[in-house]
Amino acid sequence: MENKSGSSRHSDFTKSFKLAIRSLLTSCSKQDFIKAFSDCNTKEQESLHRLFIQVITSLHQMTEDEFESLGLETQVGTTLDTVDQLLEEQHMDPLFSKETNVMDVVHSLSIAKENEIQCLMSMLERAEEQRHLIRARTEQLKKRRQDVSSPTDVKKLRSRVLSYWTSSDEL
């Protein structure tokens, strides 16, 4: 699997796989191999050991090729690059920082919410005061209108106007 993006995580992943596969495929030393085929003569043992090495080398190469093919198919490199990017963003975000105290964040949020509640309460009180003032003014205007439009007031006003006109005619 090629590391086109330069991701150290991707490179480490590939190296780890290759080391693991190498140690698995070469876990049999020559001495152990000869012991396993002790019934054979030395020439046969050497021949079998060479064949074993060829098979292991071929198997190793095929396994690495298959690993690379699966990695490209499943986009392991891209995924690991995305993980690196997210970790970098997370490292820059103070809320995800290891040094951030959760209780400090809770305290800050609580203070902000309390301030918001106080502001809303103040706005509500002002709206209530305005509503009371508007109601009082409306009642006052209704009362004044009723006072002016009462039948006795209308009669008084008429008589005054008539008396004014009659007194002005006399002059």
Side-chain angles (χ1 to χ4, degrees), residues 127-144:
E128 284 290 322
E129 287 174 13
Q130 287 178 344
R131 187 175 67 102
H132 286 300
L133 288 173
I134 289 171
R135 275 195 176 169
R137 180 72 176 141
T138 305
E139 290 299 319
Q140 187 181 30
L141 289 173
K142 280 182 183 178
K143 203 176 210 181
R144 191 180 282 169

Side-chain angles (χ1 to χ4, degrees), residues 1-16:
M1 217 172 359
E2 263 181 54
N3 184 9
K4 294 177 184 175
S5 65
S7 167
S8 65
R9 192 174 300 276
H10 184 231
S11 176
D12 291 347
F13 179 66
T14 303
K15 285 178 187 175
S16 296

Side-chain angles (χ1 to χ4, degrees), residues 45-103:
Q45 288 175 344
E46 288 295 323
S47 180
L48 286 172
H49 188 260
R50 275 194 302 278
L51 181 61
F52 174 73
I53 296 296
Q54 287 176 352
V55 169
I56 291 297
T57 304
S58 178
L59 185 58
H60 183 84
Q61 188 59 49
M62 286 174 27
T63 306
E64 281 187 11
D65 291 346
E66 185 64 22
F67 176 75
E68 185 174 331
S69 173
L70 282 172
L72 291 173
E73 187 178 312
T74 58
Q75 300 178 345
V76 170
T78 306
T79 303
L80 290 173
D81 289 344
T82 303
V83 168
D84 282 338
Q85 181 182 356
L86 290 173
L87 286 174
E88 187 175 322
E89 288 173 7
Q90 188 180 36
H91 180 69
M92 291 177 165
D93 189 348
L95 290 177
F96 287 98
S97 174
K98 291 178 185 172
E99 294 82 37
T100 300
N101 185 346
V102 174
M103 293 310 294

Side-chain angles (χ1 to χ4, degrees), residues 93-152:
D93 189 348
L95 290 177
F96 287 98
S97 174
K98 291 178 185 172
E99 294 82 37
T100 300
N101 185 346
V102 174
M103 293 310 294
D104 289 344
V105 173
V106 169
H107 181 70
S108 296
L109 284 173
S110 296
I111 289 174
K113 288 297 177 187
E114 285 176 17
N115 290 342
E116 187 176 355
I117 289 170
Q118 290 298 327
C119 180
L120 291 172
M121 292 295 284
S122 173
M123 289 172 61
L124 184 62
E125 287 173 5
R126 277 186 263 138
E128 284 290 322
E129 287 174 13
Q130 287 178 344
R131 187 175 67 102
H132 286 300
L133 288 173
I134 289 171
R135 275 195 176 169
R137 180 72 176 141
T138 305
E139 290 299 319
Q140 187 181 30
L141 289 173
K142 280 182 183 178
K143 203 176 210 181
R144 191 180 282 169
R145 189 170 139 209
Q146 285 174 353
D147 289 345
V148 170
S149 64
S150 72
T152 54

